[in-house]
Amino acid sequence: MTRLFNDPDDFLDELTEGFVAASGRWVRAVPGGVVRSTRSPEPTVAIVIGGGSGHYPAFAGLVGPGLAHGAAMGNLFASPSTQRAYSVAKEADQGRGVLFSYGNYAGDVLNFDAAQDQLKAEGIDCRTVLVTDDIWSAPPDEFEKRRGIAGDLTVFKVAGAAAEEGASLDEVERLARHTNDRTRSFGVAFDGCTLPGKSEPLFTVPQGRMAVGLGIHGEPGIDETDVPTADELAELFVSRLLQEVPEGVEVSGARVVPILNGLGSVKYEELFVVYRSVDRLLRAAGVEVVDPEVGEFCTSFDMAGCSLTLLWLGNEPGGELERLWTAPADTPAFRRGSVSEREHVDSSATAAAQKTIPPASDESRHAATYIADLLARMAEAIDAQADELGRMDSVAGDGDHGIGMQRGSRAGARAARSAADAGAGAGTTLAEAGDAWSDQGGGTSGVIWGRILQTLGKTLGDEAPVNAAVVAAAVGEARDVVMGFGKAKVGDKTMVDAIVPFADDLSASVEAGRPLRVAWPQAAAVAEQAAQQTADMAAKLGRARSHGDKSIGTPDPGAVSFALICTTVAGELPPADGAG
Ligand code: ADP
Ligand code: MG
């Protein structure tokens, strides 16, 4: 239960404001998140971490000397947008390149990758190391598909310490990757979490039961047992993690850092009782315990649960990883040793750049007004279905599709209205709506809808009249962009299963000479049917992937919301072709 908040929509902004006010010693606010408020004596590689909010101290609490340089902050449990990741990285960059590191989730990957492309296009070297420590999210031979949980800390810490020592981007990247290869985590949950303003938890675990392998956004676990004793839980954690020893490490004599992480509402005292047995069991197995951590490092709002992470340093005392893990660090939530005094930088946040509206033809401006109306209707339609979309997403995903689409479509509608009111053409209006949608919506669907609207805008432009042929071509272009960017194919159970038949049907009808007011509603009906048919499929991509079979019987939420938007637009088309 989250008890203390004002307007739930303002939660991210307000928590950020309070966090920065309380942590000025380490951080300052920048658009999209926070960066250090101190300067390193010499320029270093910048470590930029991030993800959805709700996991404190991940991610903003880990920014400071010896650890990260910046954290991109998304909405609750939603990936930060591309713009946010880009903007934080730009602020954090010191001319020696940027390392992005974050937990492996589809929405984060899409957004950080897009930000990385943008940085590279500007000549800033940028690399990415994904954290994939959760052993239950994919089998060992698909290690790179696993999601990231509390093992984030080991990768961030080693990368941060290496950067602090002056290592090059190549070297920092290598060490971060090596640390991830040596990190394994195992999580359990006893109860779900409730986001601000929600009356129902995002997910639940039956009373007296424990979900094994459940993810930090409530992604379903792989098993359920009765709640064990503290000793039994330690035994389960340790015995399972000892079956997954990284290559090249000998258990006997191995030097290991255990991190026992509380997920939000498990007491430190309970964790210590569990840790007592973890420590004994590891030593009994012949492991050398090095510099352990017990506490909260990656939470999941008020979820009741905990995880054990093991970082396998190697068999030699004082090796590279050990030196970097134990190096000094000073951040709001993680402090170790003593870090040299730092000079503070001016903490006033950078002012947002003034946007200029490019010139547009009268026809295109007329279409823009119409597009702004359409976006407003779309947001209303999403509002009415938000709970149902969230429910579908909670079957095998993380339950946030409804709120993400709601936030995104509202922001898109607002941005489109203000662009159109300022005299923008159709292209600019759609582009502005896309930026706002991906920024506020977050998650996978946010970035994809952002790209859809931006692509439509690019194809429509600000000059040419908007007619059926142009619209069909723009929709086809958006389909190609989404598939190229998100890498989903038809049959993977994503939005693509609705986009492809929709775009194909629309272009065939328009080519056959049908006007948009006939062709669009017909294509929308095809999309609706295709979306419903995804119920028969098993998910292969995204957060739902690790629990693909659980989704059989429920349609893909992103495909359903796509079809809903197509149908909404169909009901708003003017009687004769002209605008959008
Ligand atoms: P998240 O997955 O980040 O929680 P949402 O819940 O808002 O984001 O959106 C989930 C939807 O995103 C899925 O139902 C699916 O339709 C869509 N999706 C996920 N991955 C892809 C992809 N690679 N390409 C196209 N659509 C995708
Ligand atoms: Mg989701």
Side-chain angles (χ1 to χ4, degrees):
M1 185 74 190
T2 309
R3 297 175 185 84
L4 302 174
F5 49 88
N6 302 306
D7 181 340
D9 280 346
D10 297 333
F11 198 80
L12 172 63
D13 289 344
E14 293 183 354
L15 85 85
T16 306
E17 197 181 324
F19 169 68
V20 171
S23 316
R25 201 174 128 198
W26 301 276
V27 302
R28 65 190 171 97
V30 295
V34 294
V35 298
R36 289 189 194 173
S37 59
T38 55
R39 214 187 308 275
S40 309
E42 295 294 329
T44 69
V45 167
I47 311 299
V48 175
I49 61 177
S53 296
H55 304 299
Y56 194 86
F59 298 87
L62 302 174
V63 173
L67 239 154
H69 294 77
M73 298 166 70
N75 230 306
L76 300 180
F77 286 8
S79 145
S81 66
T82 305
Q83 294 93 317
R84 287 177 165 252
Y86 166 81
S87 137
V88 171
K90 273 287 269 197
E91 292 284 342
D93 176 47
Q94 299 162 43
R96 294 199 55 198
V98 173
L99 181 81
F100 278 146
S101 189
Y102 51 91
N104 183 27
Y105 295 95
D108 296 279
V109 173
L110 290 176
N111 282 300
F112 277 94
D113 276 359
Q116 173 168 327
D117 289 346
Q118 237 171 300
L119 292 164
K120 282 184 169 164
E122 292 177 17
I124 299 176
D125 199 356
C126 180
R127 317 278 174 84
T128 295
V129 175
L130 295 176
V131 182
T132 60
D133 56 315
D134 181 3
I135 62 163
W136 290 118
S137 50
D141 59 346
E142 294 187 312
F143 183 78
E144 73 293 342
K145 290 192 180 158
R146 289 178 170 177
R147 59 195 176 208
I149 52 174
D152 278 350
L153 178 67
T154 67
V155 180
F156 302 163
K157 175 68 180 70
V158 167
E164 205 70 36
E165 287 185 350
S168 66
L169 184 55
D170 280 342
E171 185 63 359
V172 173
E173 181 190 8
R174 179 188 71 78
L175 284 160
R177 218 174 280 293
H178 180 49
T179 308
N180 183 54
D181 287 344
R182 289 289 185 87
T183 304
R184 303 284 186 282
S185 302
F186 177 168
V188 297
F190 312 104
D191 204 359
C193 57
T194 308
L195 298 183
K198 296 285 162 190
S199 51
E200 295 296 315
L202 199 52
F203 58 95
T204 52
V205 179
Q207 182 76 34
R209 303 283 285 170
M210 175 176 86
V212 176
L214 188 129
I216 56 170
H217 312 96
E219 298 92 336
I222 53 104
D223 195 11
E224 201 186 282
T225 65
D226 284 339
V227 173
T229 63
D231 286 350
E232 285 163 357
L233 178 58
E235 168 70 36
L236 179 67
F237 276 157
V238 172
S239 61
R240 185 59 188 76
L241 287 174
L242 286 181
Q243 289 166 24
E244 269 229 23
V245 180
E247 240 180 69
V249 178
E250 204 44 66
V251 174
S252 173
R255 301 177 67 77
V256 169
V257 177
I259 303 172
L260 186 63
N261 173 60
L263 279 155
S265 60
V266 170
K267 286 284 300 169
Y268 273 64
E269 283 84 348
E270 292 173 274
L271 293 176
F272 287 129
V273 175
V274 175
Y275 187 71
R276 158 187 171 271
S277 285
V278 168
D279 183 78
R280 286 185 185 182
L281 290 163
L282 286 173
R283 291 180 199 279
V287 163
E288 286 288 332
V289 173
V290 180
D291 223 2
E293 291 288 345
V294 176
E296 292 184 343
F297 303 97
C298 179
T299 60
S300 187
F301 245 92
D302 58 334
M303 171 164 151
C306 57
S307 62
L308 179 66
T309 298
L310 297 183
L311 164 61
W312 297 83
L313 297 169
N315 292 75
E316 296 305 316
E320 185 174 59
L321 290 189
E322 188 163 335
R323 185 185 81 244
L324 295 165
W325 171 256
T326 53
D330 186 21
T331 76
F334 190 90
R335 291 168 217 169
R336 158 165 305 155
S338 63
V339 168
S340 58
E341 267 305 305
R342 298 294 155 108
E343 183 194 342
H344 274 256
V345 298
D346 177 15
S347 64
S348 57
T350 330
Q354 253 331 118
K355 286 215 164 127
T356 51
I357 301 280
S361 70
D362 285 348
E363 264 175 312
S364 189
R365 283 158 62 159
H366 178 71
T369 309
Y370 185 74
I371 287 167
D373 289 342
L374 279 181
L375 274 148
R377 297 294 89 73
M378 281 159 55
E380 286 163 15
I382 293 292
D383 253 355
Q385 292 298 315
D387 289 346
E388 177 58 12
L389 293 170
R391 190 200 60 78
M392 283 179 207
D393 191 31
S394 67
V395 172
D398 54 2
D400 65 352
H401 188 63
I403 42 174
M405 288 293 288
Q406 218 170 11
R407 273 197 307 260
S409 60
R410 282 180 188 165
R414 269 195 306 271
R417 175 65 58 210
S418 75
D421 286 353
T428 299
T429 298
L430 282 162
E432 291 285 317
D435 286 354
W437 190 315
S438 78
D439 190 38
Q440 297 296 312
T444 315
S445 60
V447 64
I448 289 175
W449 271 100
R451 290 299 280 255
I452 291 176
L453 297 180
Q454 285 154 0
T455 307
L456 295 176
K458 209 182 233 173
T459 318
L460 263 46
D462 288 331
E463 295 295 334
V466 178
N467 59 35
V470 174
V471 170
V475 169
E477 191 63 33
R479 168 201 57 205
D480 295 347
V481 165
V482 169
M483 291 179 75
F485 168 69
K487 314 243 166 11
K489 299 183 293 297
V490 169
D492 287 346
K493 191 163 188 165
T494 69
M495 207 185 294
V496 165
D497 290 306
I499 300 177
V500 169
F502 175 75
D504 292 354
D505 193 85
L506 184 69
S507 87
S509 286
V510 167
E511 260 166 48
R514 280 180 215 122
L516 205 54
R517 67 176 185 281
V518 176
W520 186 291
Q522 182 189 312
V526 169
E528 290 283 357
Q529 197 187 5
Q532 290 308 323
Q533 280 167 355
T534 60
D536 304 335
M537 304 172 179
K540 300 198 183 92
L541 281 176
R543 277 191 186 154
R545 183 188 54 77
S546 36
H547 302 278
D549 291 347
K550 288 212 170 86
S551 75
I552 294 176
T554 304
D556 175 65
V560 170
S561 59
F562 179 85
L564 171 65
I565 284 175
C566 295
T567 303
T568 306
V569 171
E572 300 291 327
L573 288 174
D577 275 10

